[in-house]
Amino acid sequence: MRYPLFLPDGGTIGFVAPSFGCASEPYKTAFIHAQQRFREMGYYLDLGPNCYAQEGVGISNTPEKCGKELNEYLLTEKADVLISCGGGELMCEMLDYVDFKGISEASPKWYMGYSDNTNLTFLLTTLCDTASIYGPCAGAFGMEPWHESIQDALELLQGKKLVMKGYDKWEKEAGKCEENPLVPYQVTEERILRRFPDADSEFSGRLLGGCMDCLVNLLGTRYDRVTDFTRKYQKDGIIWFLESCDLNVFAIRRAIWQMQHAGWFSHVKGFLIGRPLVFGQEMMGLDQYHAVYDLLKSYQVPVIMDVDLGHLPPQMPLICGSLATVSCRGNELEVRMELK
């Protein structure tokens, strides 16, 4: 596994938009304010050509131009680390224009984003043996004041913090809107972990995962090298971290079934399942817990649910590809990542 150099003091942060750009509110104002915050910290910034674009369908620009932007920033010394402007819908369409071979041969560079950015964070790891960060996009750094998870993400990019813990509360209803683009997370709900089996646990393995909406879309394509990856790292084993956006509880169950039957969960050591965006949904007797655990229990490994991951913030930033030890004691979760 290849680990990039961390963001140095006075280094350059690059921003790219392979999914949506920051062309509309509240994202534009939040992004501009995030830039101000980073400059005040002494960082230089380099904005890609698509950061404010809205020329594409479900992404910032055409797939060709989005791929070109990514290649330019991943294959050159323009920036020390990269943060995605945002998520979106059709980032997958630009994959045909990404030079994964060149990326696997070039010096690795940290790329951070989540949701639709799974299309890159996941593939950097499975195709290029390059660690990436599943964490907040650029606009989140514009909130005032920063939530603890945002500070954690910066300290991870800086290499100052490789141990993440869950947060006390989470946001069920977002307050961020066009009229109030800089509002912080409205954390009102107590974090309560659901553990299957309901017992303390500790397990180690290589972190791999992202947004299931994107993962099942990649499954079975020429970009699907997951079984090769899990076989390569079978001695370490895999800790899957998974969350979802648009999927209802039945779609979540279908996604788990599909990944299971594709052999993705071979050599699994445990699962970290984030709160789904449809949190609390029940359809025909199926809820978010049975949607997952009824299928995963056959692996006889810990399954920890309602973890701080994904679309109901805050989220723990995680290094996809790192060797991690997960400790769950009662309602407390700790993820200790090592660059091995």
Side-chain angles (χ1 to χ4, degrees):
M1 184 58 56
R2 307 186 320 146
Y3 296 100
L5 297 176
F6 289 108
L7 177 65
D9 291 342
T12 300
I13 302 173
F15 296 97
V16 290
S19 193
F20 277 150
C22 297
S24 60
E25 298 296 352
Y27 310 106
K28 184 175 183 178
T29 296
F31 180 43
I32 291 172
H33 192 68
Q35 295 174 52
Q36 179 183 336
R37 289 291 304 268
F38 284 128
R39 287 193 179 99
E40 290 171 352
M41 295 176 193
Y43 292 112
Y44 295 95
L45 308 181
D46 192 318
L47 275 63
N50 297 323
C51 287
Y52 294 111
Q54 51 181 347
E55 307 300 321
V57 177
I59 53 177
S60 61
N61 214 319
T62 65
E64 294 91 337
K65 290 182 178 178
C66 288
K68 180 181 178 181
E69 179 187 58
L70 264 183
N71 291 334
E72 180 181 359
Y73 278 80
L74 284 169
L75 296 174
T76 69
E77 303 301 317
K78 289 176 68 68
D80 295 300
V81 300
L82 297 179
I83 303 177
S84 175
C85 282
E89 300 293 343
L90 292 175
M91 185 175 168
C92 58
E93 293 187 357
M94 64 103 216
L95 294 177
D96 292 345
Y97 304 96
V98 177
D99 183 4
F100 286 108
K101 184 177 185 297
I103 292 169
S104 67
E105 296 171 351
S107 298
K109 184 177 297 186
W110 287 116
Y111 177 93
M112 183 167 71
Y114 83 110
S115 190
D116 204 25
N117 291 280
T118 296
N119 286 285
L120 191 60
T121 57
F122 187 76
L123 294 183
L124 282 173
T125 301
T126 57
L127 297 185
C128 305
D129 268 320
T130 299
S132 61
I133 299 177
Y134 199 73
C137 296
F141 292 89
M143 70 172 67
E144 288 289 353
W146 277 10
H147 184 272
E148 180 186 355
S149 62
I150 304 303
Q151 183 65 36
D152 284 348
L154 176 60
E155 292 186 12
L156 180 54
L157 277 174
Q158 295 168 328
K160 296 178 179 179
K161 186 170 184 178
L162 295 177
V163 179
M164 298 298 162
K165 297 183 179 181
Y167 309 101
D168 291 339
K169 295 184 177 182
W170 58 278
E171 178 186 80
K172 191 173 185 180
E173 299 291 338
K176 186 175 179 178
C177 60
E178 290 186 24
E179 293 74 26
N180 200 354
L182 306 184
V183 67
Y185 296 142
Q186 305 297 286
V187 289
T188 58
E189 310 300 307
E190 297 288 340
R191 183 206 64 220
I192 301 175
L193 296 177
R194 297 289 295 270
R195 310 179 305 174
F196 302 91
D198 189 10
D200 292 348
S201 61
E202 182 171 297
F203 50 97
S204 298
R206 209 160 281 277
L207 288 171
L208 186 65
C211 181
M212 287 189 282
D213 308 46
C214 302
L215 292 175
V216 294
N217 190 55
L218 294 172
L219 195 155
T221 69
R222 66 189 180 97
Y223 301 105
D224 178 4
R225 305 284 178 81
V226 175
T227 54
D228 292 339
F229 181 87
T230 59
R231 189 181 304 113
K232 178 177 181 178
Y233 291 103
Q234 61 181 298
K235 185 177 179 181
D236 300 326
I238 305 296
I239 298 174
W240 281 92
F241 64 91
L242 302 168
E243 55 98 7
S244 59
C245 179
D246 295 329
L247 306 183
N248 64 32
V249 290
F250 279 107
I252 291 171
R253 183 148 174 162
R254 287 192 292 267
I256 293 291
W257 182 92
Q258 190 173 358
M259 289 186 282
Q260 180 184 46
H261 283 74
W264 279 23
F265 299 150
S266 299
H267 314 296
V268 66
K269 293 293 190 69
F271 294 91
L272 301 177
I273 310 295
R275 294 178 292 268
L277 195 56
V278 294
F279 187 92
Q281 183 184 69
E282 184 173 326
M283 299 175 68
M284 291 183 274
L286 185 69
D287 63 16
Q288 66 201 61
Y289 307 108
H290 286 287
V292 172
Y293 186 65
D294 286 356
L295 299 181
L296 297 186
K297 62 184 179 183
S298 63
Y299 294 98
Q300 298 183 320
V301 297
V303 179
I304 305 172
M305 302 188 67
D306 293 348
V307 172
D308 289 323
L309 285 171
H311 287 76
L312 289 176
Q315 63 173 316
M316 297 182 295
L318 297 178
I319 298 178
C320 189
S322 66
L323 192 59
T325 298
V326 174
S327 175
C328 186
R329 301 281 183 267
N331 197 42
E332 300 301 320
L333 182 70
E334 178 184 274
V335 182
R336 185 177 298 272
M337 296 171 283
E338 296 181 84
L339 308 186
K340 294 183 176 180

